[in-house]
Amino acid sequence: MYLIEKGDVVRHMGLGKLMLVLADENENEEVELRDLDGLEYVEPAFELVKLPKSDTDRLEFIQKMNGVNTSGSLNKENSNEH
């Protein structure tokens, strides 16, 4: 078993989808996640499989997340004005 950490991409076995880890696994063995639709979850770590960095599904997921996060980069620019 690998410890699941912030920034990892995991496959949720119950839901069958890839998700980004938003925070390290907590003391209750739960992990905060976000899917491609922007929905956030808190799920037990045993439901998740960490993908290796060279996994093609992982690389595609990251590319899609970066596409989704284009609006997030606009928010960063706006936050600099404050």
Side-chain angles (χ1 to χ4, degrees):
M1 274 291 198
Y2 295 101
L3 182 65
I4 296 174
E5 300 173 312
K6 181 179 179 179
D8 288 341
V9 175
V10 296
R11 182 178 307 278
H12 189 293
M13 299 311 291
L15 298 175
K17 58 167 115 177
L18 298 182
M19 298 182 170
L20 176 67
V21 177
L22 300 177
D24 293 349
E25 184 176 329
N26 66 24
E27 65 278 353
N28 296 325
E29 298 180 355
E30 295 174 330
V31 181
E32 292 180 43
L33 306 160
R34 179 180 296 140
D35 68 10
L36 280 175
D37 297 323
L39 299 175
E40 295 186 2
Y41 303 80
V42 175
E43 296 289 331
F46 67 82
E47 285 279 346
L48 309 172
V49 176
K50 185 174 177 177
L51 298 179
K53 291 190 180 201
S54 60
D55 187 284
T56 55
D57 287 341
R58 178 188 179 278
L59 298 173
E60 286 177 23
F61 177 83
I62 290 171
Q63 288 176 342
K64 289 177 184 174
M65 280 299 272
N66 286 336
V68 167
N69 286 340
T70 54
S71 62
S73 64
L74 294 175
N75 290 339
K76 275 187 181 176
E77 290 174 14
N78 292 340
S79 66
N80 289 340
E81 295 173 6
H82 298 284

